[in-house]
């Protein structure tokens, strides 16, 4: 018998426990469950009737038409295998297109993986609350975090559950209805390695990058997940952000739930429009006076949530151009991304600098910006009125009264233009 126990010990300590967040205490409890199931199966053998044998086994729900069928009694060898299958249910994992995803026991009994810190007032948590907390972390956050705080909020009629610590990368706050145990609000976050990201996301990456004409050399480097549910909403919504990199560039994919809503990545050389590239170089020359600057990077960002599709060109000396198609029409930005440090001794100097930016003469600004706009957009700015915003010194807008056409201009204290954006403000 000791030999069998050692064999079970070897089996149970294989994956997924080897790389799972389960504690030694969880492993011990699972081993106890395995022992109980072994005894239950052994007790079902012998000369007892099939009905008595069935009554000693744990309930297992029937699926489909199988509930109307009676299966033949298994022989000794098959019954012995049955012990393995039933016990393995505690640590068997479901496969998702060729990759292990979740243990069966967490699917059927998600509270089995719920971890509670010592000293908590767990009497406040009903079974429904425990299940809702465990299921929410499992399905939306993708991980069970250890609960560190349980608090009754009698004024609002809620129970507050906190998992992890606010200063950590993994943290969860859940508010439950004290009467029904249902979710009321949720706020959770998690940072993970790409290898920990569910396969249903990773398998989308090549086709998503291909859909925007991006290079396949971008590789996953980090993942962030945020989950939120506000008062009045029916279920938590997760946003998963995957960052990608290669030797020269980067990319990003954002999913809402399981649907990709934003894709960004470097463009393959054959996907770069030579007409758009030539136009971007001309815009940089108009802004900076520098001609034929080398292209450093070309990328595309497609955001279905915002309804924008943007192609960006980055050039030598930190100049850039962005061309956007969106719900509100076309947008175009040309800018100088160089950062010019300003040294200030105190807040009075800072306020004086901002005041200088705000009060810059309109004639000086027009003298700087009109030639640039005429060269890039083939337009005359004289009919456009200048509007200042005291909350944004160093920025003005030129608007045409009879049109929705708008230019936003950022400038330095000497009037030099940093950035011009047309439309999509």
């Amino acid at each position: 018998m000791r030999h069998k126990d050692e064999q079970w010990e070897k089996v149970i300590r294989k994956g997924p426990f080897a790389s799972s967040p389960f504690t030694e205490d969880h492993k011990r409890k699972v081993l106890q469950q395995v022992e109980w199931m072994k005894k239950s199966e052994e007790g079902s053998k012998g000369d007892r009737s099939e009905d008595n044998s069935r009554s000693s086994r744990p309930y297992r729900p029937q699926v489909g038409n199988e509930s109307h069928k009676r299966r033949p009694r298994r022989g000794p060898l098959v019954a012995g295998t049955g012990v393995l299958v039933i016990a393995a249910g505690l640590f068997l994992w479901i496969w998702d297109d060729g990759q292990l995803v979740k243990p069966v026991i967490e699917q059927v009994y998600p509270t089995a993986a719920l971890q509670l810190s010592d000293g908590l007032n767990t009497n406040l948590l009903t079974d429904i609350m425990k299940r809702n907390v465990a299921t929410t972390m499992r399905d939306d956050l993708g991980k069970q975090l250890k609960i560190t705080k349980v608090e009754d909020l009698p004024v609002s009629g809620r129970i507050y559950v906190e998992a992890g610590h606010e200063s950590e990368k993994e943290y969860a706050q859940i508010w439950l209805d004290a009467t029904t145990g249902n979710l009321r609000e949720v706020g959770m976050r998690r940072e993970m390695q790409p290898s920990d990201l569910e396969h249903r996301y990773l398998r989308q990456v090549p086709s998503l990058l291909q859909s925007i004409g991006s290079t396949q050399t971008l590789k996953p480097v980090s993942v962030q997940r945020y989950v939120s549910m506000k008062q009045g909403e029916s279920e938590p919504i997760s946003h998963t952000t995957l960052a990608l990199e290669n030797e020269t560039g980067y990319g990003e994919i954002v999913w809402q739930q399981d649907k990709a809503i934003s894709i960004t990545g470097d463009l393959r050389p054959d996907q770069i429009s030579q007409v758009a590239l030539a136009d971007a170089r001309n815009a940089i020359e108009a802004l900076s006076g520098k001609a034929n600057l080398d292209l450093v990077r070309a990328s595309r960002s497609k955001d279905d949530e915002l309804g924008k599709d943007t192609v960006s060109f980055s050039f030598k000396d930190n100049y850039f151009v962005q061309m956007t198609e969106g719900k509100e029409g076309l947008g175009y930005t040309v800018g100088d991304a160089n950062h010019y440090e300003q040294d200030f001794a105190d807040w009075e100097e800072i306020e004086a600098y901002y005041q200088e930016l705000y009060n810059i003469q309109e004639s000086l600004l027009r003298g700087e910006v009109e030639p640039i706009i005429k060269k890039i957009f083939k337009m005359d700015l004289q009919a456009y009125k200048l509007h200042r915003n005291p909350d944004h010194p160093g920025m003005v807008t030129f608007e045409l009264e009879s049109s929705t056409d708008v230019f936003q201009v950022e400038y330095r204290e000497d009037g030099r233009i940093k950035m011009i954006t047309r439309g999509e403000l």
Side-chain angles (χ1 to χ4, degrees):
M1 190 65 184
R2 177 58 186 166
H3 174 69
K4 288 186 177 181
D5 288 342
E6 290 175 351
Q7 290 300 111
W8 281 109
E9 183 87 12
K10 291 178 182 178
V11 173
I12 203 68
R13 292 193 180 280
K14 293 180 180 178
F17 290 120
S19 59
S20 76
F22 292 155
T23 63
E24 289 298 323
D25 183 56
H26 277 77
K27 297 177 184 179
R28 179 181 57 79
K29 289 179 180 178
V30 172
L31 286 170
Q32 290 176 347
Q33 291 291 320
V34 170
E35 184 63 27
W36 175 82
M37 284 190 165
K38 285 165 54 184
K39 292 179 179 178
S40 175
E41 182 71 14
E42 290 169 357
S44 68
K45 299 176 183 179
D47 298 326
R48 291 178 300 167
S49 67
E50 187 174 352
D51 290 340
N52 289 338
S53 175
R54 188 186 299 114
S55 66
S56 67
R57 298 172 185 164
Y59 169 73
R60 288 184 291 173
Q62 301 293 328
V63 180
N65 294 330
E66 292 181 0
S67 59
H68 303 291
K69 299 178 182 179
R70 298 185 67 180
R71 298 183 178 181
R73 186 173 179 84
R74 297 170 179 172
L77 178 61
V78 179
T81 307
V83 178
L84 177 61
V85 172
I86 294 173
L90 293 168
F91 53 87
L92 271 178
W93 284 45
I94 296 175
W95 290 80
D96 176 10
D97 193 27
Q99 177 163 321
L100 289 171
V101 180
K102 297 173 183 173
V104 174
I105 187 67
E106 290 188 31
Q107 288 290 90
V108 182
Y109 306 108
T111 55
L114 193 62
Q115 303 177 56
L116 300 168
S117 297
D118 296 333
L120 294 177
N121 189 2
T122 55
N123 292 333
L124 293 173
L125 297 177
T126 65
D127 290 341
I128 293 177
M129 291 178 183
K130 290 179 182 178
R131 184 177 182 87
N132 283 337
V133 169
T135 302
T136 301
M137 284 197 286
R138 180 197 69 191
D139 293 348
D140 297 295
L141 193 62
K143 182 179 182 180
Q144 299 286 0
L145 306 182
K146 180 177 286 187
I147 294 176
T148 54
K149 185 176 183 179
V150 178
E151 183 180 1
D152 185 11
L153 305 175
V155 176
S156 61
R158 298 181 179 188
I159 300 296
Y160 171 70
V161 175
E162 185 174 343
H165 298 281
E166 192 171 4
S167 60
E168 297 174 347
K169 295 178 179 180
E170 299 180 339
Y171 183 60
Q173 294 176 296
I174 300 175
W175 290 263
L176 303 137
D177 189 292
T179 303
T180 65
N182 295 333
L183 298 178
R184 285 293 172 259
E185 291 188 66
V186 173
M188 302 188 292
R189 67 172 182 262
R190 179 188 177 192
E191 292 186 20
M192 65 183 97
Q193 295 298 317
S195 58
D196 295 328
L197 184 62
E198 295 88 345
H199 185 59
R200 65 180 183 273
Y201 296 104
L202 288 173
R203 68 187 179 192
Q204 298 178 44
V205 172
S207 60
L208 290 175
L209 291 175
Q210 185 177 12
S211 72
I212 63 168
S214 183
T215 173
Q216 299 294 305
T217 61
L218 290 170
K219 301 300 180 185
V221 291
S222 65
V223 184
Q224 290 186 330
R225 178 168 292 165
Y226 298 93
V227 182
S228 65
M229 174 181 167
K230 298 179 181 178
Q231 176 66 29
E233 294 179 344
S234 59
E235 62 179 15
I237 302 297
S238 67
H239 283 84
T240 302
T241 302
L242 173 65
L244 307 113
E245 287 184 359
N246 61 13
E247 294 79 5
T248 58
Y250 62 91
E252 182 181 271
I253 300 175
V254 180
W255 288 269
Q256 179 176 297
Q257 303 296 78
D258 292 346
K259 181 182 179 182
I261 60 172
S262 177
I263 313 162
T264 300
D266 291 343
L267 286 171
R268 300 193 305 271
D270 64 328
Q271 294 294 311
I272 298 175
S273 167
Q274 296 305 307
V275 173
L277 179 57
D279 182 77
R281 281 201 169 99
N282 290 334
I284 295 299
E285 183 178 0
L287 178 69
S288 67
K290 300 177 180 180
N292 299 317
L293 287 179
D294 292 337
L295 178 67
V296 175
R297 181 174 182 250
S299 64
R300 181 182 175 191
S301 179
K302 189 172 183 293
D303 193 315
D304 293 336
E305 190 173 36
L306 298 177
K308 292 184 178 182
D309 194 339
T310 301
V311 174
S312 301
F313 297 102
S314 299
F315 295 91
K316 184 182 177 182
D317 297 338
N318 294 322
Y319 292 98
F320 69 93
V321 172
Q322 292 182 341
M323 305 171 182
T324 301
E325 294 184 21
K327 297 176 181 178
E328 305 300 324
L330 300 178
Y332 194 102
T333 298
V334 55
D336 175 359
N338 289 289
H339 183 64
Y340 297 90
E341 291 288 346
Q342 294 288 337
D343 294 325
F344 301 105
D346 50 38
W347 277 105
E348 290 183 358
E349 288 192 9
I350 295 175
E351 291 177 357
Y353 173 72
Y354 285 153
Q355 194 66 35
E356 182 183 3
L357 285 172
Y358 182 72
N359 292 331
I360 195 167
Q361 292 182 358
E362 181 175 340
S363 59
L364 176 59
L365 274 180
R366 284 186 178 274
E368 291 286 340
V369 75
E370 283 183 352
I372 301 173
I373 289 180
K374 184 173 288 188
K375 187 172 183 180
I376 297 176
F377 303 105
K378 309 296 188 293
M379 295 181 62
D380 193 331
L381 205 61
Q382 290 183 356
Y384 287 72
K385 287 189 175 182
L386 182 147
H387 297 277
R388 304 177 193 264
N389 186 340
D391 294 329
H392 294 89
M395 180 187 296
V396 296
T397 56
F398 290 90
E399 299 181 23
L400 193 62
E401 296 295 334
S402 59
S403 172
T404 58
D405 200 21
V406 177
F407 289 94
Q408 180 176 278
V409 178
E410 293 186 31
Y411 57 90
R412 308 188 198 285
E413 71 280 2
D414 57 2
R416 285 182 300 155
I417 307 304
K418 291 197 301 183
M419 187 167 71
I420 300 174
T421 298
R422 183 186 184 187
E424 286 289 312
L425 301 180

